[in-house]
């Protein structure tokens, strides 16, 4: 559980002070807007995927990102990107071209494997032991890919809208957020239903587990963010400071901060135990994806090209097309 009392108060005071004086810096990555961003397990590298059909890997050192590799092979936009949970050199990408590609950044000029997916994938996640990749597509089909054999080992068609997916803290259960506002918990690997938890009054869009998987958070079309105890499956807190549907979530390295993005022109950073606001990151366009560094309070994010809400920002937004942004420097 998260510490209480004086420790909590001093933690909140420190992160508010540190993040309150932090700045955001843009780092060029793509020729078109970036859709996704993720750190590897060590925090040495960050990867982003884009409408320009590439994934770009950059190294992080001395508060700067430096471009290292361009991963080419997809024939359409790279929509999702995820690193292996424990191997810092391996990552996966999925594209509108209906393929999953595996990459080893030590040999970036070629893919390790290219797997044709069943439909257009909108969500991807790794099992914590790195053995399996789960993919969810636009037609509510979830399939599982064996990392070693590069084969689809199972799949299941659901009769409800499936949004974000993920394994729980023991990897024995598999979670799906749904269009009816619920969290569906299934047995893994059978995917037999175990429990359905009402979570939101509208579509439940996103799901993220804390690094220790003791907590998880959900975001919905009702603009609510809910935080849960993963062991007890009990509700901890809920808050709503965003006005638009919550589409991206990320826990920081110690699991005590949660970043959330929507079509609002801000990223909200909250204290997990209470939902208290810690910081707000102003954006020139709405954030597609947020991702905390695995060991520092450093938040990476990518945004749309141009604000749909405030045209006065459009010129600045266009200048940062395809950039990866870092907050916390």
């Amino acid at each position: 559980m998260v510490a209480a009392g004086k420790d909590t108060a001093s933690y909140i005071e420190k992160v508010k002070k540190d993040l309150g004086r932090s700045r955001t810096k843009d780092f060029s990555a793509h020729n078109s807007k970036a859709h996704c961003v993720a750190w590897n397990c060590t925090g040495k590298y960050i990867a982003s995927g884009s409408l320009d059909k590439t994934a770009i890997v950059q190294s992080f050192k001395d508060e700067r990102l430096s471009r290292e590799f361009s991963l080419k092979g997809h024939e359409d936009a790279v929509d999702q990107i995820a690193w292996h949970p424990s191997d810092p050199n391996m990552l996966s990408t999925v594209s509108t071209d209906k393929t999953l590609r595996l990459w080893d950044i030590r040999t970036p000029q070629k893919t390790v494997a290219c797997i044709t997916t069943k439909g257009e994938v909108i969500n991807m996640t790794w099992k914590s032991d790195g053995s399996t990749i789960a993919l969810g597509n636009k037609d509510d089909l979830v399939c599982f890919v064996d990392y070693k054999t590069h084969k689809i080992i199972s799949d299941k068609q659901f009769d409800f809208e499936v949004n974000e997916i993920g394994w729980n803290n023991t990897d024995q259960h598999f979670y799906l957020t749904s269009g009816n506002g619920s969290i569906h918990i299934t047995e893994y690997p059978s995917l037999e239903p175990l429990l359905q938890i009402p979570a939101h009054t509208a579509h439940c869009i996103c799901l993220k587990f804390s690094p220790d998987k003791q907590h998880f958070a959900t975001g919905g079309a009702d603009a609510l963010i809910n935080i849960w105890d993963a062991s007890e499956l009990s509700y901890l807190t809920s808050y709503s400071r965003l006005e638009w549907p919550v589409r991206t979530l990320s826990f920081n390295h110690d699991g005590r901060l949660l970043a959330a993005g929507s079509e609002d022109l801000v990223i909200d950073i909250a204290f997990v135990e209470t939902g208290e606001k810690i910081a707000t990151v102003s954006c020139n366009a709405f954030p597609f994806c947020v991702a905390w560094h695995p060991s520092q309070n450093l938040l990476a994010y990518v945004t749309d090209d141009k604000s749909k809400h405030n045209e006065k920002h459009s010129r600045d937004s266009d200048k940062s097309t395809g950039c990866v942004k870092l907050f916390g420097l």
Side-chain angles (χ1 to χ4, degrees):
M1 290 296 292
V2 181
K6 291 183 179 179
D7 176 61
T8 296
S10 61
Y11 179 90
I12 291 174
E13 181 181 4
K14 184 177 187 305
V15 294
K16 279 187 173 181
K17 183 178 180 181
D18 290 346
L19 295 179
R21 62 191 180 193
S22 294
R23 68 189 192 279
T24 300
K25 191 167 183 180
D26 293 359
F27 296 92
S28 178
H30 299 276
N31 297 324
S32 301
K33 63 184 175 183
H35 287 169
C36 49
V37 65
W39 296 93
N40 77 339
C41 60
T42 64
K44 181 179 178 181
Y45 293 107
I46 190 170
S48 54
S50 168
L51 190 64
D52 67 8
K53 308 178 186 179
T54 69
I56 299 296
V57 177
Q58 301 190 76
S59 58
F60 177 65
K61 186 178 181 180
D62 299 328
E63 297 192 342
R64 291 192 58 82
L65 294 181
S66 301
R67 182 167 172 155
E68 298 288 344
F69 317 112
S70 177
L71 307 179
K72 298 179 180 179
H74 281 297
E75 296 177 358
D76 211 328
V78 178
D79 294 321
Q80 297 281 325
I81 196 162
W83 293 84
H84 188 286
S86 57
D87 187 334
N89 298 306
M90 300 299 299
L91 75 156
S92 57
T93 56
V94 291
S95 167
T96 310
D97 67 9
K98 300 180 182 180
T99 65
L100 161 69
R101 289 178 182 262
L102 301 178
W103 310 83
D104 185 333
I105 62 171
R106 292 167 297 190
T107 54
Q109 67 276 9
K110 61 180 181 178
T111 56
V112 173
C114 178
I115 300 107
T116 300
T117 60
K118 298 181 178 181
E120 186 177 333
V121 174
I122 57 173
N123 281 296
M124 171 173 61
T125 188
W126 286 76
K127 194 164 178 274
S128 64
D129 62 5
S131 65
T132 311
I133 304 167
L135 307 174
N137 76 12
K138 281 187 173 182
D139 299 315
D140 310 315
L141 178 80
V142 176
C143 66
F144 298 88
V145 178
D146 183 274
Y147 171 59
K148 290 185 178 179
T149 65
H150 311 148
K151 303 291 185 183
I152 295 176
I153 52 177
S154 65
D155 61 53
K156 182 168 183 176
Q157 178 69 55
F158 289 89
D159 60 3
F160 56 84
E161 178 185 309
V162 175
N163 294 316
E164 199 152 7
I165 54 179
W167 280 272
N168 75 330
N169 50 352
T170 64
D171 283 340
Q172 295 177 341
H173 297 153
F174 192 76
Y175 287 42
L176 309 97
T177 61
S178 72
N180 62 21
S182 297
I183 306 162
H184 295 253
I185 301 175
T186 66
E187 191 76 45
Y188 182 79
S190 70
L191 299 189
E192 289 300 314
L194 293 175
L195 186 64
Q196 181 177 337
I197 304 174
H200 295 268
T201 59
H203 293 62
C204 185
I205 298 172
C206 48
L207 166 78
K208 279 292 181 295
F209 280 86
S210 60
D212 60 7
K213 292 204 171 185
Q214 295 307 301
H215 300 95
F216 66 91
T218 57
D222 54 8
L224 282 174
I225 297 163
N226 295 328
I227 299 175
W228 310 77
D229 182 297
S231 297
E232 302 293 331
L233 295 180
S234 58
Y235 166 87
L236 293 180
T237 190
S238 178
Y239 59 96
S240 180
R241 287 183 289 270
L242 299 171
E243 297 181 3
W244 292 78
V246 181
R247 299 192 177 278
T248 178
L249 296 168
S250 179
F251 282 91
N252 77 328
H253 63 95
D254 62 14
R256 303 183 77 177
L257 300 179
L258 180 71
S262 68
E263 290 188 26
D264 293 76
L265 299 184
V266 295
I267 296 168
D268 182 271
I269 298 175
F271 182 58
V272 165
E273 185 179 7
T274 63
E276 178 181 345
K277 183 172 75 172
I278 297 297
T280 299
V281 184
S282 296
C283 306
N284 285 341
F286 72 82
F288 283 130
C289 183
V290 296
W292 285 103
H293 187 280
S295 62
Q296 302 179 38
N297 283 335
L298 181 67
L299 183 70
Y301 63 99
V302 293
T303 69
D304 197 5
D305 285 343
K306 183 178 180 180
S307 170
K308 296 179 180 178
H309 304 278
N310 193 335
E311 290 298 326
K312 75 177 184 179
H313 290 303
S314 62
R315 184 175 300 174
D316 292 336
S317 299
D318 289 342
K319 290 179 181 178
S320 60
T321 295
C323 284
V324 173
K325 303 168 187 291
L326 295 186
F327 169 76
L329 298 173

